[in-house]
Amino acid sequence: MSDKAYAVFEEQQQARGIDLNQVRAKLKALKVETPSWGYGDSGTRFKVFKKNGVPRNAFEKFEDAAQVQKVTGLAPSVAIHIPWDKVDDYGKLRSHAESLGMSIGAINPNLFQEDEYMLGSVTNADPAIRRKATDHLLECVEIARQTGSRDLSLWFADGTNYPGQGDIRNRKRWMQEALTEMYKAMSPNMRMLIEYKFFEPGFYHTDLADWGMAYNLAQQLGPQAQVLVDTGHHAQGTNVEHIVAYLIDEQRLGGFHFNSRKYADDDLIVGATNPYELFLIFYQILEAQTDTNRGILDTVDNIAYMIDQSHNIEAKIPAMIRSLLNVHTQYAKSLLVNFDEVRAAQEANDVLAAEDAVRKAYEFDVSPLLIAIREEQGLPADPMKAYLQSGYQEKIAARGKGGASW
Ligand code: PSV
Ligand code: MN
């Protein structure tokens, strides 16, 4: 892309009253966490495909993530999943991450892989199983202390398959009991991010099925508990950006798990099927940044942007790069919304002008802008090409097959 393309873009945006210095600063500040499990082998319930060069342990996952950061500058932290990323010495993992210019991000407990959890973890009718599950949550708080992580990100597979299988109200109380114990163990700087999902693996009911349940729980627990929105965890047609705006206004939006879906929790590359939704989510966040309420501004400033994907058939590192570039692109477009124009149309009750003021930002080609800011930061203009030409993919082939699963 030439300087000329950027000059044309600049002129066009200045004429629309867009402050490009502010846009560029925001684009450079965006950070999106990648998940350790996105670098491992994953699949569907039909098969996990074994890929060559997949990291064999948590240390190698950070090495792969560092390559993603090197070419994008967007992803300096990695969320870890316990026990998938369990290590003897978290101080050592932390130093390894730091030596690569990376940091350990959110800690994700895993309460869905052991046989004992088949009928529920913190909501199991057996108190001994509930105790074991709660102890794992407490272990994760301790790990967060050692890794210096702020966020504990909770997703529960708890649910039932048949009417009558479980006592839904008891299960609700047991969930609250376990999370209350965990909440009390957290340091003041930590946050509990509560994720919801409407079905799967439970096909009749899920104990935390939607944002309302997660929100209510967060309210009961206290200010360090927030809701996490995974973009793939809603029924078809749900207006996710409405949920985002609502939770921001309630000062309870803690973070995102970005991915895309066509049918259910598909965990595909973010923006692959839903780029306009992603744009509209950022539009709601940026709109909230124009608020004067301190609590709302704090909420939006502290949103944890994370990716939650499983790359089943595609090469994992390039898939992560593509995801980050897609997020950056939609964020860039949302920064081109002229909020004065939207508000004037809203105040005049001009439906079409209001819709136009939002949509037209989405229609701009932001590639000259993104290339310009990458160059300013000493990053490659084309991160994907730079990675593919770096020789790293060939180098890790020596790891062979049979790396970490999820
Ligand atoms: C399962 O649906 C899931 O994708 C959730 O979204 C979690 O965040 C993730 O796995 C990691 O446990
Ligand atoms: Mn998720």
Side-chain angles (χ1 to χ4, degrees), residues 195 230 233 257 308:
E195 190 172 346
D230 181 314
H233 287 194
H257 271 177
D308 176 13

Coordinates of all heavy atoms in Angstrom, one line a residue, residues 195 230 233 257 308, ligand 2:
E195 N -18.5 -16.7 32.7 CA -19.0 -16.9 31.3 C -20.3 -17.8 31.3 O -20.5 -18.6 32.2 CB -17.8 -17.7 30.6 CG -18.0 -17.9 29.1 CD -16.7 -18.5 28.5 OE1 -15.7 -18.6 29.1 OE2 -16.8 -19.0 27.3
D230 N -18.8 -14.6 25.6 CA -18.2 -15.4 24.5 C -19.1 -15.2 23.3 O -20.3 -15.6 23.4 CB -18.1 -16.8 24.9 CG -17.4 -17.7 23.9 OD1 -17.8 -17.6 22.7 OD2 -16.5 -18.5 24.3
H233 N -21.6 -18.0 22.3 CA -22.5 -18.7 23.3 C -23.9 -18.3 23.3 O -24.5 -18.3 24.4 CB -21.8 -18.6 24.6 CG -20.6 -19.4 24.8 ND1 -20.0 -19.7 26.0 CD2 -19.8 -20.1 23.9 CE1 -19.0 -20.4 25.9 NE2 -18.8 -20.7 24.6
H257 N -14.7 -13.4 24.9 CA -14.1 -14.4 24.2 C -14.5 -14.3 22.8 O -15.7 -14.5 22.5 CB -14.5 -15.8 24.8 CG -13.7 -16.3 25.9 ND1 -13.9 -17.4 26.6 CD2 -12.5 -15.8 26.4 CE1 -13.0 -17.6 27.5 NE2 -12.1 -16.6 27.4
D308 N -11.1 -17.0 21.9 CA -11.3 -18.4 22.4 C -11.7 -19.2 21.2 O -12.9 -19.2 20.8 CB -12.5 -18.4 23.4 CG -12.8 -19.8 23.9 OD1 -12.0 -20.7 23.6 OD2 -13.9 -20.0 24.5
Ligands
MN2 MN -15.2 -19.1 25.9

